[in-house]
Amino acid sequence: ASRDASQTLVELAAPSLRRLADASGETINLAVPGVDGVEHLAQEDTAHFVGVTDWVGRRVPFELAANGKCFLTFGGAGHRQAKAIRATGYATSIDELEVGLTAIAAPVLGATDIAIAALSISGPTARLHHRIDELAPLLKTEANTLSRQLRGAA
């Protein structure tokens, strides 16, 4: 994505990141698919000190990250969990990227239903694992809101 497109995305996503951070109490990220992995564009931190990693500027492998799995499933090369991800509308990464780290991600879909970005909630597995069912609907709502805004802005 061009710098301008990334900037627009970050600005449009800011309210969603804030709402999700407030609702979950965990770290929220906005990421896009890069050439060789997931690129994190923006992050909203929370009151917790434990388990906060600064992901902005970090690239992580598609296969291991919840947001990466969204990119592979919606418009990428596919993923072994793709069927489940399409069915539920979100992906998880539990102790895969880092032991003790859990993330949930939902795709932000462009006009052709290709994931142009993803929103994710991440935190310590001990805290987040049992809240996946509770938080996934909120995450999907914000991702859908952002999808609609981007289609409107395009």
Side-chain angles (χ1 to χ4, degrees), residues 33 62-63 68-79 82 86 109 113-116:
F62 289 118
E63 286 290 332
K69 292 177 190 181
C70 286
F71 299 141
L72 291 173
T73 299
F74 296 90
H79 190 270
R86 281 186 187 277
L109 301 175
D113 280 344
I114 285 176
I116 47 177

Side-chain angles (χ1 to χ4, degrees), residues 31-97:
V32 293
V35 179
D36 50 4
V38 176
E39 289 187 36
H40 295 85
L41 295 185
Q43 176 165 318
E44 191 68 58
D45 287 322
T46 62
H48 288 295
F49 289 113
V50 179
V52 172
T53 306
D54 190 359
W55 293 98
V56 175
R58 270 181 75 178
R59 280 210 176 115
V60 297
F62 289 118
E63 286 290 332
L64 301 178
N67 43 24
K69 292 177 190 181
C70 286
F71 299 141
L72 291 173
T73 299
F74 296 90
H79 190 270
R80 61 189 164 73
Q81 294 163 354
K83 205 170 167 184
I85 294 167
R86 281 186 187 277
T88 58
Y90 68 94
T92 58
S93 173
I94 301 162
D95 297 337
E96 288 176 75
L97 197 57

Side-chain angles (χ1 to χ4, degrees), residues 96-120:
E96 288 176 75
L97 197 57
E98 258 169 49
V99 173
L101 178 76
T102 284
I104 326 166
V108 175
L109 301 175
T112 52
D113 280 344
I114 285 176
I116 47 177
L119 290 173
S120 64

Side-chain angles (χ1 to χ4, degrees), residues 5-21 28-32 41-44 106 108 116-120 139 141-150 153:
S6 294
Q7 199 50 46
T8 301
L9 185 57
V10 169
E11 283 164 18
L12 282 176
S16 289
L17 296 183
R18 186 70 262 157
R19 284 191 294 267
L20 286 168
I28 313 300
N29 276 103
L30 170 71
V32 293
L41 295 185
Q43 176 165 318
E44 191 68 58
V108 175
I116 47 177
L119 290 173
S120 64
L139 187 60
T141 298
E142 294 295 352
N144 291 338
T145 299
L146 192 51
S147 291
R148 283 198 303 276
Q149 286 176 314
L150 283 169

